Amino acid sequence: MTDRKSLPDKLQPLEGLSQNLWFSWNHKALQLFQSIDAELWESSGHNPVALLQDVSAERLQQLSNDQDFVEKLNRIHQEFQNYLQSQPTVFQQQFPDLTDKIVAYFSAEFGVHESLPNYSGGLGILAGDHLKSASDLGLPLVGVGLFYKYAYFNQQLDEHGNQIESYDALDPQRLALKLVTDSTGQPIKISVFLKDHEVKAQIWQADVGRVKLYLLDSNVPENAPADQEITSTLYGGDREMRIRQEILLGIGGIRALRAMGYEPTVIHMNEGHSAFSGLERLRELMEKGLTFEEAYQMVRNSALFTTHTPIPAGNEAFEFDLMRAYFKPFWENLGLGEQQFFDLGRNVNEHKHENFSLTVLALNLSSMANGVSAIHGNVSRAMWKHIFPGIPESEIPIGHITNGIHTETWLHPLMIQMFEEYLGKDWRENIRNAEYWKKIDDVPDSVFWQTMQEMRQEMADYLRAEYQKRLERFANAEHHFPAPDAILDPNILTIGFARRFAPYKRATLIFRDPERLKKILNDPQRPVQIIFAGKAHPHNDAGKELIRTINRFAQEEGYRGKIVFVEGYSMAISRAMVSGSDVWLNNPRRPLEASGTSGQKVPINGGINLSIMDGWWPEAFNGKNGWAIGDDIEFADPERQDQHDSQSLYELLEKEVVPNFYDRDENGVPLRWVKMAKESLKTIIHQFSTHRMVWEYIEKYYVPGMKQATKLSSNQFSLLKEHVRWLKNISAKWPTIHFSVLSNGAENRIFSAGEERDIHVVVHLDGLKPEEVTVELVLERQDALQRSQNMETVALPLEKNLGQGQYQYGKKVRAKTDGAYRFSCRVLPRNENLLHKHDTRLIKWLD
Ligand SMILES: *Cc1c(COP(=O)(O)O)cnc(C)c1O
């Protein structure tokens, strides 16, 4: 707050509470702010900082005399202080030796709370939830992003369903942000070189519990107007604007961390937008005297890249000309040639066109990489296998960690109340504990159901008010939208569908057979309503057409009042919909939904998923905790796919969803429904939380990366230098390594079921020592569709030194009993300093 003096003494704690986004997942804090002035709370967009600036002095005086309010404030403030100070944290307990290491998490968007709308969709919400769980778990992590003055656009819809985009300027003085300054109080500024001149940026700090999020902002007076606009909008502008934003995010982000005194041990790039950060780290290390090879290995060994985009075209890439315009001085400064530099990101895209891909750059500049669900891990390995020639698809070093949600952010307060009453006050400490959530069965069905009813009612009230604002706007236009009191019946089966309007998400799939849908909606005994929300990217005409289609149906007889489109999808609307909807509909075209997270917000609030088996859902679905639309079949023809999936959707609605919902006991409780909802809650809440997700990042990547980076850099990078010498030597000799004799296998490399053989191979190591390599037998099942998914490797021990650089390896190997296996042999480099066995990307196969 700028004028803190205006707060009466007794209300001083509001200052600290409003300035830390911890409030965004503490319902008591949110309710407290709302109770200050409900109207201002709504009109400010749930912004406590603006609220405190705008609320009248009388009201503040009144509150400071309100014993109840002051006590509540002090209690919440105490809770906040305890939260910030409590130690040891979960991370400190598990990894006491690593508490001085820091992870820097880079993302182009962060969705922490609707009052700081620095997000467009799932990627940003995920990043925000990642920070919150990092804070809860006590992981030392800082976030790095950009501060977009006009954020993403506001969405309004006219009477024809046309999306109207508008942009409101955010005022950082009225947000939970503070300018980062140096010890003399001067703003810290960094600069990046863009094409032919320096561009400056200041840094805003947002506190997210214990975690700090830094947002770079080019809107400073030193910059020319065109440069001030670099951080104007999220995903607006042309390719040139995009490259400038990403240089500022990646290169500027690293510089900002340095300027503030941070020495992060591990860099996590959330999607390729921040891949240039690796180039800046290369530059820094070379400036310290490392060679390119050394710097390159140091950067890779301390970086993690998370890919999110299973569509080739969705992966960020720039034309070489544009890259040249922005990076020529950069690579010259590093002493690199153009080709060597372009090779870092060179890719051939789906149109057989070569360009500079940030995904490829990020994969090259990180030893650690992952997709965001099991399916997406498979898709990513298949999509990027050309970067790893010779390595079998199933072993491509792109793992997966399935996305989650920050549970407390997305839980309705009524659910929290239910948990505290029936499960215990300790539910927060047990979010990852599967056993704990079984206690949800102790909640009486009628209580559970009553809570669902109340949340549906609350959603209806909230969204009706939103809808009313929209209708008032076109009071004079001709339209057939129903009146607010004719929509959103709080007592009927309510299906929610809210997401970005990207065509692959198939928002209109349920309208494929309009008559059949009409029947489902209008059964007098068992009516159904569907609520839609979501934005189409300003350049996505196909997405906008889908919005128009739904808005046409919303005005048509037979659908009016049953189909509602709520404009301006935001975290606030999302919270309402995921807690008030009975069913969450998700019908993307497989396998294009990398993970999806909105569906994870639903079961924790008692709702049930009705979803295509894509993204996270196959990992959650157990046959009893929701419904699977279609099956695993993927048709080449999208028409057939839509037909197949929509049939399945209608059938599920007609035969299961609707009957289950309306099958009531004598007290009006749908027992079968509640059973499924409880099953859904207890099987999903722990697994699809960012607490589980962040912990997995810690164990799989952050901790190994911290140890690796520390090891390689200690003693003035002595181990790094040794490692690079080894790598150079092995890379130089690798081309001449070859197999010669394979005995007991050369004639027939097929094992039949259960067969046993004594296999020996001779490898010419050409001066390499036998302990520098691993020789493996690889068995691939012959009859399986995806052979590499059924692959087994067996290490062959060294048997004899045959002299003259030749070594014999071998073992008695027994095949599995379930079919025929073809076998082959391969050599891989071996070194204890490799993060994983394919990190060198060197591999040699027996022909
Ligand atoms: C959760 C959420 C998303 C992500 O949902 P998907 O299932 O990935 O589409 C997007 N936007 C908002 C506002 C959300 O709350």
Side-chain angles (χ1 to χ4, degrees):
M1 230 182 100
T2 43
D3 49 352
R4 69 176 69 195
K5 283 178 293 301
S6 67
L7 276 185
D9 279 353
K10 283 187 186 158
L11 302 186
Q12 275 305 321
L14 279 173
E15 159 79 8
L17 275 184
S18 67
Q19 287 289 348
N20 190 314
L21 290 154
W22 174 80
F23 69 73
S24 69
W25 69 98
N26 187 287
H27 292 283
K28 284 175 276 183
L30 290 168
Q31 280 156 5
L32 186 82
F33 288 126
Q34 185 188 30
S35 72
I36 293 174
D37 186 327
E39 219 165 282
L40 266 182
W41 178 245
E42 281 308 318
S43 64
S44 69
H46 303 166
N47 178 346
V49 178
L51 173 86
L52 292 180
Q53 287 173 15
D54 296 347
V55 68
S56 69
E58 292 89 320
R59 177 63 182 151
L60 288 176
Q61 208 47 58
Q62 193 183 14
L63 288 169
S64 79
N65 295 330
D66 177 340
Q67 187 91 12
D68 255 13
F69 182 88
V70 172
E71 267 171 27
K72 210 183 275 173
L73 170 60
N74 288 333
R75 255 197 326 272
I76 295 168
H77 191 253
Q78 192 56 51
E79 194 181 314
F80 170 55
Q81 291 303 319
N82 293 346
Y83 175 87
L84 292 182
Q85 288 154 14
S86 81
Q87 287 198 337
T89 65
V90 181
F91 183 82
Q92 287 167 337
Q93 278 170 30
Q94 292 284 323
F95 301 103
D97 304 340
L98 297 174
T99 50
D100 61 333
K101 309 290 183 226
I102 289 179
V103 177
Y105 180 92
F106 281 68
S107 180
E109 40 176 317
F110 284 93
V112 181
H113 186 244
E114 58 265 27
S115 61
L116 186 62
N118 240 36
Y119 61 91
S120 83
L123 184 73
I125 308 293
L126 177 80
D129 283 0
H130 195 108
L131 300 188
K132 293 172 190 176
S133 280
S135 171
D136 290 347
L137 296 167
L139 168 69
L141 176 144
V142 294
V144 180
L146 299 179
F147 175 71
Y148 305 97
K149 182 172 178 187
Y150 294 92
Y152 201 50
F153 68 93
N154 302 322
Q155 179 198 51
Q156 294 189 329
L157 300 175
D158 73 9
E159 67 273 24
H160 308 294
N162 295 312
Q163 172 172 289
I164 301 160
E165 294 129 21
S166 63
Y167 295 86
D168 292 332
L170 295 173
D171 177 358
Q173 306 296 343
R174 287 168 60 78
L175 294 169
L177 291 176
K178 53 179 171 273
L179 200 56
V180 178
T181 54
D182 62 19
S183 53
T184 68
Q186 288 306 304
I188 292 182
K189 288 183 186 163
I190 58 100
S191 64
V192 292
F193 190 79
L194 292 180
K195 221 172 190 174
D196 51 11
H197 63 288
E198 298 277 342
V199 171
K200 289 218 174 309
Q202 57 189 1
I203 310 162
W204 297 100
Q205 174 181 326
D207 293 334
V208 183
R210 294 187 250 230
V211 164
K212 298 195 181 345
L213 166 62
Y214 296 105
L215 301 171
L216 278 69
D217 175 8
S218 72
N219 188 13
V220 294
E222 298 93 310
N223 286 341
D227 292 327
Q228 292 176 346
E229 276 174 27
I230 293 172
T231 53
S232 205
T233 62
L234 174 55
Y235 305 145
D238 56 8
R239 298 310 296 159
E240 186 139 5
M241 178 57 91
R242 191 63 87 85
I243 200 171
R244 292 159 152 240
Q245 289 190 330
E246 294 181 357
I247 290 171
L248 186 59
L249 173 63
I251 296 180
I254 294 287
R255 291 183 185 169
L257 290 173
R258 300 295 179 229
M260 294 182 289
Y262 285 103
E263 297 289 336
T265 314
V266 170
I267 302 290
H268 185 171
M269 294 173 270
N270 186 44
E271 192 51 295
H273 307 116
S274 54
F276 294 144
S277 63
L279 297 176
E280 172 62 5
R281 297 172 67 220
L282 266 178
R283 192 195 63 76
E284 286 183 335
L285 288 164
M286 290 177 75
E287 205 172 72
K288 282 191 186 169
L290 297 188
T291 64
F292 171 77
E293 273 303 320
E294 290 163 351
Y296 182 66
Q297 290 305 331
M298 193 62 222
V299 168
R300 290 170 49 75
N301 277 277
S302 51
L304 165 65
F305 166 55
T306 300
T307 176
H308 291 263
T309 316
I311 310 169
N315 281 266
E316 191 78 293
F318 294 111
E319 295 299 326
F320 288 131
D321 284 347
L322 191 58
M323 285 299 295
R324 195 176 290 111
Y326 280 85
F327 279 94
K328 192 160 190 282
F330 195 95
W331 75 60
E332 285 176 350
N333 179 28
L334 296 191
L336 303 184
E338 177 174 299
Q339 291 314 309
Q340 192 184 4
F341 182 81
F342 283 167
D343 283 347
L344 291 170
R346 188 184 300 278
N347 193 38
V348 179
N349 71 15
E350 74 273 30
H351 310 296
K352 307 265 181 288
H353 173 77
E354 251 193 7
N355 56 17
F356 192 94
S357 156
L358 293 205
T359 305
V360 173
L361 179 67
L363 286 170
N364 285 333
L365 293 178
S366 10
S367 289
M368 303 175 282
N370 72 293
V372 292
S373 69
I375 292 187
H376 182 239
N378 286 331
V379 170
S380 303
R381 286 186 286 277
M383 230 171 114
W384 301 107
K385 64 182 176 210
H386 57 286
I387 310 295
F388 306 87
I391 299 177
E393 192 173 311
S394 63
E395 293 185 353
I396 298 290
I398 303 178
H400 84 267
I401 291 181
T402 305
N403 285 343
I405 51 160
H406 183 257
T407 312
E408 195 164 2
T409 295
W410 299 102
L411 263 180
H412 193 283
L414 287 172
M415 294 303 290
I416 294 178
Q417 209 179 317
M418 185 200 287
F419 294 165
E420 302 207 331
E421 188 167 342
Y422 292 93
L423 281 67
K425 297 259 187 220
D426 57 350
W427 66 271
R428 279 182 193 81
E429 290 77 56
N430 285 287
I431 288 177
R432 289 184 286 147
N433 178 355
E435 243 352 86
Y436 185 88
W437 294 100
K438 293 185 178 159
K439 291 200 276 184
I440 201 70
D441 287 335
D442 297 346
V443 180
D445 290 342
S446 56
V447 171
F448 194 94
W449 179 241
Q450 185 54 36
T451 308
M452 306 292 97
Q453 304 267 73
E454 284 172 40
M455 289 189 292
R456 197 186 312 103
Q457 176 75 56
E458 191 183 300
M459 168 184 71
D461 294 343
Y462 177 63
L463 296 184
R464 224 184 264 136
E466 291 291 307
Y467 176 82
Q468 174 140 22
K469 288 185 220 160
R470 176 181 174 199
L471 279 198
E472 281 164 8
R473 257 198 348 262
F474 38 83
N476 300 321
E478 186 164 344
H479 67 82
H480 299 283
F481 285 107
D485 59 4
I487 62 162
L488 292 168
D489 185 333
N491 297 309
I492 69 175
L493 173 58
T494 305
I495 299 175
F497 182 102
R499 48 203 71 247
R500 286 184 302 117
F501 271 62
Y504 81 86
K505 297 198 187 231
R506 299 191 294 187
T508 55
L509 187 75
I510 201 168
F511 296 97
R512 201 177 156 89
D513 184 343
E515 288 308 311
R516 195 161 170 187
L517 175 63
K518 194 190 280 185
K519 279 209 190 77
I520 294 171
L521 298 176
N522 294 299
D523 182 328
Q525 260 71 57
R526 308 187 305 183
V528 177
Q529 61 192 349
I530 313 179
I531 309 172
F532 289 90
K535 297 177 177 179
H537 186 277
H539 300 154
N540 190 340
D541 293 329
K544 292 180 182 178
E545 180 56 32
L546 296 174
I547 294 177
R548 273 192 292 273
T549 302
I550 295 171
N551 279 278
R552 268 198 300 277
F553 276 106
Q555 300 178 75
E556 215 178 277
E557 207 43 52
Y559 307 91
R560 285 179 86 223
K562 294 291 175 57
I563 301 291
V564 176
F565 199 109
V566 181
E567 62 185 8
Y569 186 40
S570 66
M571 288 182 77
I573 289 178
S574 175
R575 271 200 314 278
M577 287 182 68
V578 298
S579 57
S581 298
D582 301 291
V583 172
W584 197 250
L585 177 62
N586 178 44
N587 49 27
R589 186 165 286 138
R590 231 172 95 96
L592 299 184
E593 191 63 88
S595 168
T597 53
S598 59
Q600 301 169 349
K601 302 165 187 167
V602 173
I604 67 170
N605 290 302
I608 303 179
N609 278 277
L610 169 59
S611 172
I612 293 280
M613 288 292 263
D614 198 12
W616 72 286
W617 185 233
E619 293 166 55
F621 180 62
N622 68 3
K624 299 181 290 187
N625 60 359
W627 293 281
I629 304 170
D631 31 46
D632 295 354
I633 303 175
E634 281 161 33
F635 296 99
D637 174 12
E639 265 301 306
R640 271 191 73 192
Q641 188 80 56
D642 290 359
Q643 182 62 19
H644 179 83
D645 292 343
S646 63
Q647 288 302 316
S648 166
L649 171 56
Y650 292 129
E651 258 175 51
L652 284 168
L653 286 171
E654 291 161 351
K655 297 201 176 123
E656 304 208 21
V657 180
V658 176
N660 274 10
F661 184 86
Y662 285 106
D663 176 16
R664 307 292 168 92
D665 74 356
E666 62 278 12
N667 302 315
V669 180
L671 294 176
R672 278 195 291 163
W673 188 271
V674 171
K675 186 162 186 233
M676 188 183 256
K678 284 182 170 177
E679 174 73 15
S680 174
L681 192 154
K682 70 185 172 199
T683 54
I684 286 169
I685 191 165
H686 51 92
Q687 201 185 343
F688 299 96
S689 164
T690 38
H691 276 35
R692 184 275 307 152
M693 179 190 85
V694 167
W695 200 256
E696 221 177 314
Y697 276 109
I698 289 171
E699 292 192 323
K700 266 195 191 156
Y701 299 121
Y702 294 163
V703 163
M706 285 173 177
K707 291 183 174 163
Q708 177 78 350
T710 306
K711 191 167 83 169
L712 291 181
S713 60
S714 60
N715 287 329
Q716 273 97 44
F717 303 101
S718 60
L719 191 58
L720 171 73
K721 290 179 180 177
E722 185 191 315
H723 185 58
V724 170
R725 271 195 301 277
W726 174 80
L727 267 175
K728 275 192 159 159
N729 182 47
I730 205 161
S731 308
K733 297 197 170 133
W734 201 254
T736 56
I737 287 187
H738 61 281
F739 288 92
S740 60
V741 185
L742 170 73
S743 54
N744 206 355
E747 327 73 43
N748 179 10
R749 298 228 310 250
I750 304 279
F751 258 148
S752 34
E755 190 188 343
E756 190 178 68
R757 277 196 223 168
D758 208 359
I759 298 204
H760 307 280
V761 287
V762 174
V763 190
H764 297 244
L765 288 182
D766 260 323
L768 290 175
K769 297 192 208 75
E771 58 269 24
E772 291 180 88
V773 298
T774 307
V775 178
E776 289 175 340
L777 190 75
V778 178
L779 296 133
E780 276 183 315
R781 193 162 157 160
Q782 279 301 281
D783 50 352
L785 279 174
Q786 289 179 300
R787 279 190 307 145
S788 65
Q789 303 290 333
N790 281 284
M791 208 179 85
E792 193 190 347
T793 57
V794 181
L796 295 179
L798 177 66
E799 291 181 321
K800 269 189 221 142
N801 180 348
L802 304 173
Q804 292 171 321
Q806 300 184 52
Y807 296 86
Q808 179 183 314
Y809 292 79
K811 195 179 182 180
K812 205 179 277 250
V813 180
R814 179 188 285 281
K816 286 188 183 171
T817 52
D818 63 340
Y821 283 80
R822 184 186 153 74
F823 68 90
S824 185
C825 293
R826 66 185 188 186
V827 193
L828 297 168
R830 176 167 57 173
N831 187 305
E832 60 177 17
N833 296 319
L834 290 173
L835 258 177
H836 55 82
K837 73 183 194 182
H838 290 304
D839 197 43
T840 62
R841 302 189 192 171
L842 296 172
I843 190 165
K844 207 75 188 248
W845 291 88
L846 168 67
D847 295 327

